[in-house]
Amino acid sequence: MFLAALPPDNDIVLVAHNNAGLYVPALVQERRVVANVFVDAGLPVRGGLVPLAPPAFRDFLLQKADADGLLPEWTHWWDKTDLEGLCPSAVVRRQVEQEQPRLPLSYSQESLHPRRPTCLCMAPSCLLRAVVRVAQASQEDGPPPVGDGPCRA
């Protein structure tokens, strides 16, 4: 589905968030990717099975699933206080929540098996680990940290 949405003849900068990072190698091999940006993303491995969720996180999600095996919208996985400040208003938060899919719990219990050896050296890549602490940041403290990790070219 995502591959079909990427133009086959254009240079592309892939920006992957969360588990989308695990799928970057397959996209790199199918399209003209000139750079990769991993934003709080899972990083691909050279081979073997890659769990889509670590065991402790799967246990956490198990407690959130309903009787039909569906997880609530992502913003309902966390306490409201954990997400304060992520949306600029209640209206924007409602819009974000309306666009969120409900994932099946089974997704978190699957593993990805890369079809080919994964190598991202075909394109420059950057890893950003965002640690947002909006509620804790104050005027005196300055802005919260927005990421770390070197970019390689």
Side-chain angles (χ1 to χ4, degrees), residues 8-152:
D9 299 325
N10 294 4
D11 290 345
I12 297 170
V13 174
L14 288 178
V15 180
H17 177 258
N18 210 330
N19 274 356
L22 301 175
Y23 297 91
V24 166
L27 297 173
V28 166
Q29 294 174 355
E30 299 291 334
R31 293 293 189 263
R32 285 189 354 212
V33 176
V34 297
N36 302 299
V37 180
F38 295 87
V39 181
D40 280 339
L43 296 176
V45 297
R46 293 199 179 274
L49 290 176
V50 180
L52 296 179
F57 193 59
R58 284 193 307 253
D59 292 343
F60 168 78
L61 292 176
L62 183 62
Q63 304 301 315
K64 303 288 182 184
D66 66 16
D68 294 325
L70 288 176
L71 295 167
E73 293 81 1
W74 176 84
T75 49
H76 294 144
W77 296 2
W78 320 106
D79 291 332
K80 284 190 177 197
T81 56
D82 292 337
L83 300 177
E84 284 178 359
L86 290 181
C87 293
S89 70
V91 172
V92 171
R93 182 179 172 125
R94 280 192 298 278
Q95 288 173 326
V96 167
E97 289 177 344
Q98 289 173 353
E99 294 177 11
Q100 295 175 22
R102 292 189 64 196
L103 299 175
L105 177 64
S106 61
Y107 174 79
S108 70
Q109 298 167 335
E110 295 175 8
S111 293
L112 177 68
H113 193 284
R115 292 177 293 157
R116 303 174 186 103
T118 61
C119 178
L120 299 177
C121 53
M122 293 177 257
S125 297
C126 181
L127 169 64
L128 300 174
R129 291 283 187 214
V131 181
V132 179
R133 294 187 184 107
V134 176
Q136 296 174 356
S138 68
Q139 296 290 359
E140 299 85 36
D141 297 333
V146 293
D148 62 14
C151 292
R152 68 171 175 81

